[in-house]
Amino acid sequence: MEQNERGVWGSRLGFILAAAGSAIGLGNIWRYPYVVGENGGAAFVLVYVTCVLVIGLPVLIAELSLGRRTTLNPVGAFRSLSNSKAWPWVGYLGVATGVGILSFYLVIAGWTLGYIVRTLIPTTEDFTQFVANPVEELGYFLGFLCLTVIVVLGGVEKGIERWSKFLMPALFVLLLSLISYNLTLEGSSAGVEFYLKPDFSKIHGSTILAALGQAFFSLSLGMGTMITYGSYISKRENIPVSATAVVLSDTLIALLAGLMIFPALFSVGMEPSQGPALVFNVLPRVFELMPGGAFIGLAFFVLLAIAALTSTVSLLEVPVAFLVDERKWSRKKAVSIIAAATFVVGIPSALSQGSSELLTTMQVAGQTGFLSLMSHLFSNLSLPIGGFFVCIFVGWVWGTKNAVEEIKLGTGETAQRIFWGWELLVKYVCPLTILIVFLNIFGVFG
Ligand code: PFF
């Protein structure tokens, strides 16, 4: 770390855990359930899983190989493999998207801190009042930003990797226990049906875009996070195997989160399509019902906060790696300036949950409120667009032949057919699918 301000992962497992730590976060436990709820349940889940396997996994492999080949941040990676001045703009888009996502993600991450404090010091204030209190909203947002800064300043190995190691097993066990409890609640079977019995009439163009956006968001793709994380892996790393491990664990946690939420939601008689507040409205009600619920609630929100932290760290790492590599800034300067910018950009999101009438009720692009708009713009538009260009770049500019050479350094010559399938996906299937989803949204097919 010290020699060149960059660094490398300490071990193979360390890398997988850190990449999975980036992928697994609020996207799985906060965003996935409310997007499933807004898009009609089980049918959406099927489209989502298809997007993850057919588009997410190949794009993840593409990003990791691009990062490892160049050992650079996204802007530098595109620049170093092509002569055109246009490609680094895909990297810039990623850097901007990092700040954009971080700005609203930290607000939600702040809610987890708020819940921890509220469990320890009980109040009469309910969730709606809590999020509408500008002092609390901005305070917890800033608090989580500071936690992120502390970890990122620690650097790749000491900071990010160490944090990722303990989280997943604990989160996994807690999810399983909550699922088994929630399934015993009266009326929960309606939730199981909503979540697992597909009604295909609910699938529209916008559903598919939402599934695609959620796949990119959940796997941390399309903004260069995985290019940046790939730049810290060794040549011996088996990229396809690690990528598959990340995709499977991320998807498993999301699927389980749905199974935890929907039975409970139907049992307490709430609406599935209530948007970003969903998990924060449902779970505390369940914890109230449960014997020992206060303690379990505390454990849950602590783990959720840690899961969020390993993701916020990866979001901040993209603009920081860019400034350290390209502008030769010190890590400290890069982290401070990006953190300050993120705070400013995030203020309207923090105030959009009841503090400011205008920001809370504004309706743009089918979204209500500033935070939902940010989440839609950056996750559903910016990330798939970034992913599209990653495919075009790896498929046609750098070339899948070169990419496969890079990947083979860690896998050897085996599994030639797998490479062939991956090339087909990256060159044709992924970019064409993304393009069709977008053209459809813009009404090109009528
Ligand atoms: N994948 C993270 C989650 O699901 O919570 C969010 C995220 C992290 C998105 C990093 C994008 C990213 F680059």
Side-chain angles (χ1 to χ4, degrees):
M1 183 78 243
E2 279 73 19
Q3 324 112 0
N4 63 0
E5 294 274 330
R6 280 202 112 256
V8 78
W9 302 112
S11 67
R12 162 133 190 235
L13 188 65
F15 160 67
I16 296 183
L17 288 176
S22 165
I24 298 172
L26 295 171
N28 307 59
I29 289 163
W30 156 73
R31 198 174 190 278
Y32 169 80
Y34 94 73
V35 177
V36 173
E38 281 178 343
N39 288 282
F44 174 89
V45 177
L46 283 180
V47 181
Y48 170 70
V49 173
T50 311
C51 287
V52 163
L53 296 177
V54 177
I55 301 177
L57 180 59
V59 174
L60 176 56
I61 295 174
E63 285 201 19
L64 289 175
S65 57
L66 196 53
R68 189 176 70 180
R69 170 56 172 268
T70 57
T71 57
L72 284 171
N73 65 91
V75 174
F78 285 107
R79 179 178 294 130
S80 75
L81 293 175
S82 89
N83 297 323
S84 149
K85 288 224 165 23
W87 282 107
W89 282 97
V90 181
Y92 289 119
L93 176 70
V95 170
T97 306
V99 175
I101 294 184
L102 194 55
S103 75
F104 70 82
Y105 197 94
L106 283 167
V107 173
I108 313 295
W111 294 356
T112 64
L113 286 189
Y115 256 100
I116 294 170
V117 174
R118 288 153 59 92
T119 319
L120 295 173
I121 312 166
T123 73
T124 50
E125 193 189 52
D126 69 13
F127 180 74
T128 322
Q129 294 164 325
F130 165 64
V131 294
N133 179 331
V135 178
E136 284 187 288
E137 283 296 273
L138 290 170
Y140 287 119
F141 167 33
L142 188 62
F144 213 98
L145 178 60
C146 292
L147 285 178
T148 309
V149 163
I150 293 169
V151 178
V152 173
L153 279 180
V156 168
E157 191 195 332
K158 276 183 277 158
I160 304 171
E161 194 171 329
R162 191 172 52 189
W163 280 92
S164 305
K165 284 192 181 162
F166 306 98
L167 162 76
M168 253 176 321
L171 185 64
F172 185 69
V173 170
L174 195 61
L175 276 179
L176 287 182
S177 340
L178 285 171
I179 291 171
S180 19
Y181 178 80
N182 292 355
L183 288 175
T184 66
L185 295 172
E186 205 181 312
S188 61
S189 55
V192 177
E193 188 163 319
F194 175 83
Y195 188 53
L196 297 179
K197 200 164 156 218
D199 170 359
F200 290 103
S201 69
K202 295 205 170 127
I203 295 185
H204 311 285
S206 62
T207 327
I208 301 177
L209 181 68
L212 188 67
Q214 178 59 24
F216 274 89
F217 188 87
S218 195
L219 293 171
S220 307
L221 294 176
M223 54 158 273
T225 302
M226 292 301 178
I227 298 179
T228 309
Y229 270 31
S231 75
Y232 304 128
I233 52 183
S234 88
K235 295 286 181 197
R236 276 169 292 131
E237 182 73 42
N238 187 325
I239 290 180
V241 168
S242 304
T244 308
V246 170
V247 166
L248 292 182
S249 54
D250 183 69
T251 308
L252 181 67
I253 298 280
L255 293 176
L256 291 178
L259 205 52
M260 167 184 72
I261 292 293
F262 289 106
L265 176 115
F266 278 77
S267 151
V268 296
M270 285 184 181
E271 265 300 299
S273 58
Q274 55 182 284
L278 181 105
V279 171
F280 290 88
N281 279 332
V282 174
L283 283 182
R285 290 277 286 276
V286 175
F287 296 137
E288 274 167 24
L289 296 173
M290 248 179 185
F295 176 75
I296 295 171
L298 184 65
F300 180 82
F301 282 111
V302 168
L303 286 175
L304 188 55
I306 300 172
L309 187 61
T310 53
S311 301
T312 54
V313 156
S314 74
L315 283 158
L316 182 57
E317 185 63 26
V318 173
V320 166
F322 160 69
L323 291 169
V324 169
D325 289 345
E326 303 292 308
R327 300 278 183 267
K328 307 291 174 236
W329 288 17
S330 72
R331 209 172 165 84
K332 215 182 220 156
K333 178 176 169 194
V335 168
S336 329
I337 292 194
I338 295 292
T342 305
F343 185 70
V344 174
V345 179
I347 292 173
S349 289
L351 300 181
S352 73
Q353 302 298 309
S355 308
S356 149
E357 171 84 20
L358 174 72
L359 294 168
T360 307
T361 55
M362 60 187 276
Q363 299 256 1
V364 181
Q367 307 294 312
T368 308
F370 192 84
L371 193 148
S372 296
L373 178 66
M374 290 291 274
S375 169
H376 174 70
L377 287 183
F378 283 107
S379 321
N380 292 354
L381 303 183
S382 189
L383 295 182
I385 290 173
F388 172 81
F389 284 115
V390 166
C391 292
I392 300 294
F393 187 81
V394 172
W396 302 94
V397 180
W398 180 33
T400 43
K401 292 278 169 294
N402 288 325
V404 165
E405 286 308 308
E406 177 63 36
I407 296 169
K408 277 185 182 165
L409 295 175
T411 61
E413 291 295 325
T414 49
Q416 191 58 43
R417 255 197 244 136
I418 296 181
F419 292 126
W420 190 80
W422 175 76
E423 287 184 51
L424 189 76
L425 288 170
V426 169
K427 283 177 95 151
Y428 304 100
V429 178
C430 301
L432 273 176
T433 312
I434 300 173
L435 193 66
I436 291 171
V437 172
F438 271 91
L439 292 178
N440 182 35
I441 283 294
F442 294 118
V444 175
F445 305 121

